[in-house]
Amino acid sequence: MKEIKKIAIIGSGFSSLAASCYLAQSGHDVTVYEKNPTIGGRARQLKMEGFTFDMGPSWYWMPDVFDRFFADFDKKTSDYYELIKLSPAYRVYYGIDDFITIADNLTDIIFAFEAIEKGSGTILNDFMAEAKSNYDIAIKDLVYRPGVSPLELITVETAKKVGQFFSNISKDVRKKFKNERLIQILEFPVLFLGAKPSDTPSFYSFMNYADFGLGTWHPKTGMFDVVRAMESLALELGVKFKTNSNIEKIIVNNKTAKGLLVNGETIASDLILSGADYHHTETLLDQEHRAYSEKYWESRVFAPSSLLFYVGFNKKIENISHHALFFDVDFYQHAKDIYDEPQWPKEPLFYANFPSVTDKTAAPEGMESGFFLVPLAPGINDTEALREEYFDKIMDRFETLTKQSVKNNIIFKQSFCKNDFVSEYNSYKGNAYGMANTLLQTAFLRPKLKSKKVKNLYFTGQLTVPGPGVPPALISGKLVSELINKQFSEQ
Ligand SMILES: Cc1cc2nc3c(=O)[nH]c(=O)nc-3n(C[C@H](O)[C@H](O)[C@H](O)COP(=O)(O)OP(=O)(O)OC[C@H]3O[C@@H](n4cnc5c(N)ncnc54)[C@H](O)[C@@H]3O)c2cc1C
C-alpha cells in the first residue's frame, strides 16, 4: 500500500493552494499554514463599510490555465464561479476626452488601431498571429516545465523562434508601429511579468495574445472567487488550513527538513513546501542550508512594489470603465524611476479599477469601490506623508481626466505600500509580484523548485518557475507537486 506522507505547506497564496490540491489528490496528508488571519496571500479580500476589494490581482487573464487547473480534478471552473468577459476590456487615458478603449474582441481592436495609425490594423493582425503561435508554444512546451534543465526549452517549435529570446518586446513593437500610444498599449501586457518591455524577450508577446486574443475576464464577485473555489476544492480533497500560523523556523536535521516551528510549537512533517516569498523562506533556515546568498538576491531584477489605495466613494463615478490605465504622463520616465534610478516618480502613471461597475455587491447601492495602484521601485522609502502626497497627486489627475470632482465623495480610504508588503507577506524589498521574467531569469535560470541544500524541502510561487501572476502561480503549484510525487515514487 502507498505510504501517506505528511506535508506542511507554508503560505496560502495561489501557488500553495494549487499545490495543496494536487498533493492531497495524490493521497498525502496536507496542512497549509498561513501567517495572516485569512487565506489567499496577495489575493486577499478587504471588506470595509459595505465595500469589497480584491487586495491584489484584478485582471483575470489566460482563462484556459484556470480551466486546465480545475479539469485536473475533473471539475469545471463554472462549478465554482461565474466568469464575465469585460466589455470593454479596459480604457487607456491620455488626456481630457482623450482615451483609447480596448474592446473585447480583436476585430474591433484592429479597427481602433487603424483609426489611430493608417496601416497598423493589418500589422496588428499579423503581430497577433505570431503572438498566438507563441502562446500556444508557451502553454504546450514551456511554462509547464519544472525549470530543472535548459534542455526543457529546446523543442522543434522553440528552435524556430530562438531569435525572439534575444530581442525584446520594446524593439519589436517599435519596428512595427509608429504611434507612441499604440506602442505603449502593446508594451503594457508584459508589465505583468515584472520587467521593462525593453528587458523582456520578444517571445513574451504571448502576453499580447492573452490581452487582445483571450480577453479580460472578471469572476462575478471578484478575484477572491478563485481563492474561495480553490479553498473549497482543497477542503473536498482533505486539505487542512491553519491561519494565524506564522512559521518561525524550518527544522532541519542531517540536511533533511523535519518540521516547522509554528507559533512556538514544533510540528513534524515528512516534507515542507513553501509558497512564501523564496528569499524569506530561506531566512527560516540556518545559513548553511540556504541555497542563495544575499548577493544573489540583490543582483536579481524584481517586479515593482506598489502604492495601493482602496477607496469607497459615496456616489457613482462617471466616465470610467472597470479597468482604467492613466498613461497621460511619461511612460518611460516612470519605468526609469522604478528600474534605473529608483525614486518616487515625479509624475506617476497609475492604474485604477472599479469592481462595482461590474459587480453590484462590491459597493453599497449608488456608491462605487475604487482601487488605485502606482507601481514603485522595490525597496523604496515608504512613509505616511509620501502616501498622502501621492494620493493627492493621482486624485487631482483623476478628477481632471474623468471631468468630475470625487475627493469630497470619499467615505473610506485605506492605503497599502512597500512596508505592508514586507510586514504582511514577508516580501523581499516589498515586491508586489515577485521576480521578473527577464531572459536571465527565465525557466531553469530562476530559483529552483527543489532545495539544492536540504532534502524534502521545496518551493513554489512567483519567485520560482514559471514566474509572476495568478496563472503562473497555479502552474507553479502543479509543477512542484509533480516533482514531489516523483521523489516519493523513487524512494
Ligand atoms: C497589487 C497586485 C496586483 C496584481 N495584479 C495581478 C493581476 O491583475 N493579474 C495577475 O494574474 N496577477 C496579478 N498580481 C500577481 C499575483 O497576485 C501574484 O503573482 C500571485 O498571487 C502570487 O501568489 P503566490 O502564491 O506566489 O504568493 P503569495 O500570494 O504572496 O502567497 C504567499 C503567502 O505566504 C504567506 N507567508 C509568508 N511568510 C509566511 C510565514 N513565515 N508563515 C506563514 N505564512 C507565510 C503570506 O502571508 C502569503 O499568504 C498582482 C499582485 C499584486 C500584489
Side-chain angles (χ1 to χ4, degrees), residues 303-361:
S305 186
S306 295
L307 170 61
L308 309 173
F309 292 99
Y310 312 100
V311 186
F313 296 99
N314 68 3
K315 67 169 186 180
K316 282 289 182 201
I317 305 294
E318 287 163 14
N319 308 325
I320 46 155
S321 71
H322 183 117
H323 292 291
L325 301 171
F326 293 86
F327 283 4
D328 54 312
V329 295
D330 190 340
F331 187 92
Y332 303 100
Q333 181 57 46
H334 191 144
K336 217 168 148 188
D337 294 336
I338 295 173
Y339 296 100
D340 303 332
E341 292 155 20
Q343 58 183 316
W344 281 77
K346 273 188 201 64
E347 292 192 301
L349 297 162
F350 64 99
Y351 153 68
N353 74 59
F354 304 91
S356 47
V357 165
T358 309
D359 167 19
K360 300 295 166 237
T361 67

Side-chain angles (χ1 to χ4, degrees), residues 33 233 275 288 335 350 386 390 434 468:
Y33 295 91
L233 174 61
E288 66 195 281
F350 64 99
L386 279 162
Y390 276 74

Side-chain angles (χ1 to χ4, degrees), residues 187-198:
E187 288 180 327
F188 155 67
V190 298
L191 299 180
F192 282 104
L193 304 173
K196 280 191 298 193
S198 55

Side-chain angles (χ1 to χ4, degrees), residues 10-16 33-36 38-44 55-61 66 192 223 245-248 275-277 280 284 306 308 310 351 371 373 421 424-426 432-434 460-463 467-473:
I10 308 175
S12 66
F14 278 120
S15 58
S16 296
Y33 295 91
E34 168 57 52
K35 74 185 269 294
N36 289 321
T38 56
I39 66 161
R42 279 151 161 97
R44 284 184 303 157
M55 292 190 72
S58 50
W59 299 74
Y60 188 104
W61 275 9
F66 296 82
F192 282 104
M223 283 298 263
S245 297
N246 183 42
I247 306 303
E248 292 147 38
D277 271 33
H280 165 70
L284 302 174
S306 295
L308 309 173
Y310 312 100
Y351 153 68
F371 166 108
L373 180 156
F421 279 104
E424 298 280 308
Y425 306 128
N426 288 319
Y433 49 102
T460 184
Q462 54 186 357
L463 272 68
V470 178

Side-chain angles (χ1 to χ4, degrees), residues 192-231:
F192 282 104
L193 304 173
K196 280 191 298 193
S198 55
D199 288 334
T200 306
S202 307
F203 182 77
Y204 282 100
S205 71
F206 68 72
M207 291 295 286
N208 293 100
Y209 179 68
D211 178 2
F212 290 177
L214 296 172
T216 301
W217 299 76
H218 188 67
K220 193 169 175 201
T221 61
M223 283 298 263
F224 197 71
D225 284 358
V226 188
V227 175
R228 273 198 214 98
M230 292 175 75
E231 179 191 27

Side-chain angles (χ1 to χ4, degrees), residues 70 78 129 146 154 169 182 216 237 295 305 339 361 376 403 409 411 414 424 439 477 487:
F70 288 108
S78 59
I154 303 167
I169 287 282
L182 300 185
T216 301
L237 293 162
K295 214 167 136 199
S305 186
Y339 296 100
T361 67
L376 294 173
K403 301 190 295 182
N409 299 94
I411 52 171
Q414 185 163 312
E424 298 280 308
L439 178 63
Q487 176 187 318

